Amino acid sequence: MTEAILLVGGKGTRLRPLTVHTPKPMVRAAGVPFLTHQLARAKAAGVEHIVLATSYLAEVFEPYFGDGSSLGLHIEYVTEKEPLGTGGAIRNVASRLRSGPDEPVLIFNGDILTGLDIRALVDTHEATGADVSLHLTRVTDPRAYGLVPTDGAGRVLAFLEKPQTPEEIVTDQINAGAYVFRRSVIDTIPAGRPVSVERETFPELLATGAHLQGMVDSTYWLDLGTPAAFVRGSADLVLGRAPSPAVPGRCGDRLVLPTARVAPDAKLSGGTVVGEGAFVAEGTRIFGSTILPGAVIEPGAVVTDSLVGNGARVGRRSVVTGTVIGDGAVIGADNELREGVRVWCDARIPAGAVRFSSDQ
C-alpha cells in the first residue's frame, strides 16, 4: 500500500467559530494543524502518495504542506467545485490515484483522532480478499453513530444508521471513519454528484454481494467534531494518550511552542498547549486547554478545558471553563464563561459583563 485519500472538505459547522477562518483539519491540535498528525501516521504506516480531497477554504492547504516533501510524502490536491459528500469526494480524486485495479487504497476522514493500527487494517483487507475493509470501534452509547454488525469472521452484515430504540441497538460496533478500498471499487461510485459512502455506497455494495470486512480496533478513538472533543483530543496528544509522531516536543503535562512566553509562576497542566507568540501572564492557571498563536492570557486568569483562538485575549482574573474563544476576541477582566459558551471571532466582552456568581 503506497497511497491514500484524506477527506478534508467539510465545513466543520459543529466546530464554529474555530472554523470561521480555518478549515477543520487545519485547526491546531498539540501545536500543529490536526491534519499533520494524520499525514505523519500515514507516512509511518508506509503510505507515500496522498491525495487531499478539499472543498471548504481549500486554498489554505497547499501553501502549508506544499508537495509534502517536508513530511517525506508526495501530496496532491483536488478541490470540489460543489460539496460531493464522502463518496463523491473519493470518486472525484480517482484520476490522481496510481494503484492497479486490485491494489488497496487507504481512506481517512479528516476529523478522526485514532490509534488505529493502519498496517493491520491493510493486512486484514488483503488476507480476507475484501472489496472494502472498515475500521470499526466499540462505543458505550452508539446512538449517535452508524452501527456495523459483523459475523464471526468479521464480515459486515448491515449498516444501521443512528438507532433510536434499545431494540435497534444490535451491536456496539460503529464505523470509525477509516477504510481500505480495492482500487476498482472506487470507480463504481457515481461521478459528478453528491454520494455518501455510509448511506449509499456501502449499503449498495452489500446488496450486490460485495465483500465488506470489518476490523475492530479499540485503541484510542475520538471524533473531533465538537469544540469540547477537539480540546480534549489536543490535550490527549500532548499527554501521550493519543499517538502521533508529529507532536512538536516531548509528551507531558504541557507543550509550550517556540516564541511563546509563559510567566514563571503560571501553572500549566493537563496537556495544555501554548502556541507560538502567545503570552501567559503571572498568576494564571491553565488546565487541559489550547492557547493558539498570538493569544494573551492576562494575570490571574483561570482557563480550563477551553480553546483560546489566534490573537484572542482573556482578561485579568477571568474564569473560562469549557469555552471556545474565537480568533481576535477579547474577554474583559473579571468575566466568568462556563461550559458550552462560544465567543465569536473579534467579539468584545466588557469587563465584568458575564458572570455566574456575585462580583463580590
Side-chain angles (χ1 to χ4, degrees), residues 73-148:
L73 293 164
H74 177 222
I75 299 176
E76 294 188 67
Y77 305 83
V78 177
T79 301
E80 302 166 19
K81 296 178 181 177
E82 299 291 336
L84 295 172
T86 48
I90 293 168
R91 181 65 177 85
N92 192 51
V93 307
S95 63
R96 302 294 184 91
L97 298 175
R98 305 166 179 173
S99 300
D102 290 325
E103 291 183 314
V105 177
L106 181 68
I107 299 172
F108 282 123
N109 283 345
D111 55 0
I112 301 296
L113 177 59
T114 176
L116 168 68
D117 185 336
I118 298 170
R119 286 302 324 175
L121 181 63
V122 177
D123 291 345
T124 296
H125 176 81
E126 294 182 328
T128 59
D131 296 298
V132 179
S133 296
L134 299 87
H135 170 209
L136 307 179
T137 193
R138 293 189 172 99
V139 295
T140 303
D141 183 358
R143 288 176 296 177
Y145 305 99
L147 306 187
V148 186

Side-chain angles (χ1 to χ4, degrees), residues 15 18-19 22-41 64-65 110-114 220 222-240 242-251 254-257 270-276 288-293 306-310:
L15 278 177
L18 294 180
T19 51
T22 307
K24 178 167 50 177
M26 294 298 288
V27 177
R28 287 176 176 249
V32 296
F34 174 66
L35 180 57
T36 310
H37 299 290
Q38 291 187 306
L39 293 171
R41 293 202 71 238
Y64 189 91
F65 291 108
D111 55 0
I112 301 296
L113 177 59
T114 176
Y220 185 98
L222 185 64
D223 177 352
L224 300 184
T226 66
F230 201 96
V231 170
R232 178 182 152 201
S234 177
D236 285 348
L237 283 161
V238 174
L239 292 166
S244 171
V247 175
R250 295 176 61 182
C251 290
R254 56 190 268 176
L255 176 64
V256 178
L257 276 293
T272 288
V273 183
V274 182
E276 296 92 337
S289 297
T290 296
I291 313 301
L292 289 182
S306 297
L307 187 144
V308 180
N310 293 281

